[in-house]
Amino acid sequence: MVFAKLWLAGILVAVLFVAATPPSSAPIILRNESRTAEPPPVVATEPCPDTSSTHVAAAEERMTSRIDATRKELQAVLSDTATSTASLAASTTALQERIAQLETRLAAAEAGAADQRAEARAIREAVAAPMAMTWILTALAGAGLLGSGYLIVRGLRARKSG
């Protein structure tokens, strides 16, 4: 246990020493390459194409037709979504009403169950006292029979012996 404490204290001292030591002022060298390497290659670019050509006009026409088709498709999807959202809202409302009905039935059933439990408890309490009295009287009668039987047997032995 002492060794473990000393070991943990040594680790703590080492961590604090490393944290307290200021970083070195020497530069950090990642690679041993000189900075006077060859300059990056020059990429030749073509001049800007003519935007008034027939190819550009045809491409623009295709793009606008695609954009229009996509816009129409998106509007169709949005209208379908709105319709399905409205039907879902209606079905959600119907489900909420059904849940409310079930909750009222459940509350009534729970109240009925509580009443039945209270009645059962009252019946048990009403029956418990007479039942306990019956067992007590039965036990006393049994004890009386045993005592009287013992006295009879003792009297018979006393007559025999004496």
Side-chain angles (χ1 to χ4, degrees):
M1 188 69 176
V2 172
F3 176 74
K5 287 181 183 178
L6 289 175
W7 184 69
L8 288 173
I11 290 176
L12 179 65
V13 167
V15 167
L16 290 176
F17 177 76
V18 169
T21 306
S24 171
S25 61
I28 298 173
I29 300 173
L30 297 177
R31 288 182 266 180
N32 266 343
E33 295 178 0
S34 64
R35 294 188 184 232
T36 59
E38 62 187 61
V42 176
V43 178
T45 59
E46 296 181 17
C48 201
D50 184 16
T51 57
S52 64
S53 69
T54 57
H55 297 295
V56 173
E60 286 177 354
E61 183 63 33
R62 285 193 307 267
M63 288 301 295
T64 54
S65 66
R66 285 183 188 169
I67 289 172
D68 289 339
T70 305
R71 183 179 296 127
K72 288 177 184 175
E73 183 181 344
L74 180 61
Q75 287 174 349
V77 168
L78 287 176
S79 66
D80 290 344
T81 304
T83 306
S84 62
T85 303
S87 65
L88 284 175
S91 64
T92 302
T93 305
L95 283 174
Q96 287 175 346
E97 291 172 359
R98 180 74 175 144
I99 288 172
Q101 291 173 355
L102 290 174
E103 285 176 347
T104 56
R105 287 185 192 171
L106 181 64
E110 286 176 348
D115 291 342
Q116 289 177 353
R117 277 190 232 116
E119 288 177 16
R121 190 178 307 117
I123 290 171
R124 266 190 251 121
E125 290 172 357
V127 172
M131 189 184 304
M133 207 54 180
T134 302
W135 283 102
I136 290 171
L137 290 176
T138 304
L140 287 175
L145 283 173
L146 283 175
S148 62
Y150 176 72
L151 290 177
I152 290 172
V153 169
R154 193 172 173 198
L156 289 174
R157 281 189 186 169
R159 260 195 220 163
K160 272 188 180 180
S161 63

